[in-house]
Every structure is written in structure tokens, then in C-alpha cells.
Amino acid sequence: MPTADDQLREHGLRVTRPRLAVLDVLSGGGHLEVEEIARQVRLRLDSVSTQAVYDVLGALSRAGLARRLEPAGSPARYEARTGDNHHHVVCRGCGTVADVDCVVGQAPCLDPHNAGGFEVDEAEVTFWGLCPSCQSRRSAER
């Protein structure tokens, strides 16, 4: 498995401490908001600005090393799981985000009838509902 240094180099990015720290945070899994990523990066480095974290996340996303998702009504979140065209489910109660594997077949999972001349290579689907904790809380309140 390639190291973070190797991944950055393979994607034409310079190896820097902030980039390595952000990749390390993202490799822990989850769908993290920028503030949480910045908090965890600061535990690894002496100091880093939130703007520097935004810059790193932008570079990693453009290079395909991170994925940005933006559930409606929520701040952007980032994850390390890229390249497999998975989808997400978001809890309407608490905002928890979870991965959902490709719904049907190979990427792009959905084939639009008319893509207006675009060559479609990815479909992004967001499912909405209530997570098990919010379902339990709702049942207890009844």
C-alpha cells in the first residue's frame, strides 16, 4: 500500500506537513467537517490555520485523494474514500452521514436518459432518513 508521501507525489502534489497531517486525519474514516479536521491536524502539528486546512482539502479533492460532500443544509464534509462512486445517507435528526455502496451495478450507478452531451462518470446520490439513535429517541418521546 502506498504511503501518504507516495500518494501525494503520484498525484503531482508536493509533500508538506499539513498535507500529510490532513491525509492522516482523513484516513481515520468518517465524514468530517473542516473544523474537526483542523482540530485534529493541530494535535499533530504545532500550528496550522483553518485557511491552510481549506487549501489542503481543496488540493487533495482536486487530485482525487479526498472527496468533498455537501449535504443540503449542512457544512461541507470530507472523506478519504474516493474513486468507487459510493453514495451517502444523512440523518435528518442529528446530521450523521454514512456510506452507501453503489446502488446498482458499476459506476456511474445511474445512467441519465439525456446528459446533454456530457460523458457521465459519476453519480452522486444522497439518501435522507433517521439514524437508529434518532429513531429510538423518537420512539421514546411518543
Side-chain angles (χ1 to χ4, degrees):
M1 183 165 171
T3 66
D5 294 43
D6 293 337
Q7 289 178 320
L8 290 170
R9 287 186 187 101
E10 287 171 9
H11 287 85
L13 297 175
R14 287 183 300 114
V15 177
T16 65
R17 290 181 66 222
R19 286 178 178 167
L20 292 171
V22 170
L23 278 175
D24 187 44
V25 169
L26 292 177
S27 72
H31 306 88
L32 304 173
E33 295 179 19
V34 174
E35 289 301 322
E36 177 59 19
I37 295 168
R39 186 188 70 72
Q40 290 188 41
V41 166
R42 288 183 189 112
L43 295 174
R44 291 162 171 78
L45 302 177
D46 295 332
S47 146
V48 67
S49 70
T50 302
Q51 184 59 52
V53 172
Y54 272 107
D55 293 345
V56 168
L57 288 166
L60 295 177
S61 296
R62 287 188 298 278
L65 292 170
R67 182 173 177 188
R68 177 186 170 122
L69 55 138
E70 296 180 68
S74 299
R77 296 172 184 239
Y78 293 84
E79 65 179 335
R81 186 175 170 186
T82 62
D84 67 351
N85 196 217
H86 69 280
H87 308 297
H88 298 96
V89 60
V90 180
C91 179
R92 291 185 189 279
C94 65
T96 296
V97 178
D99 291 334
V100 176
D101 288 328
C102 194
V103 181
V104 177
Q106 299 298 313
C109 303
L110 303 171
D111 191 12
H113 173 69
N114 180 358
F118 283 77
E119 182 179 305
V120 177
D121 61 11
E122 183 177 4
E124 187 168 310
V125 176
T126 303
F127 298 95
W128 293 86
L130 289 177
C131 70
S133 294
C134 288
Q135 290 174 53
S136 295
R137 194 169 22 260
R138 181 181 65 184
S139 294
E141 291 172 355
R142 289 184 179 168

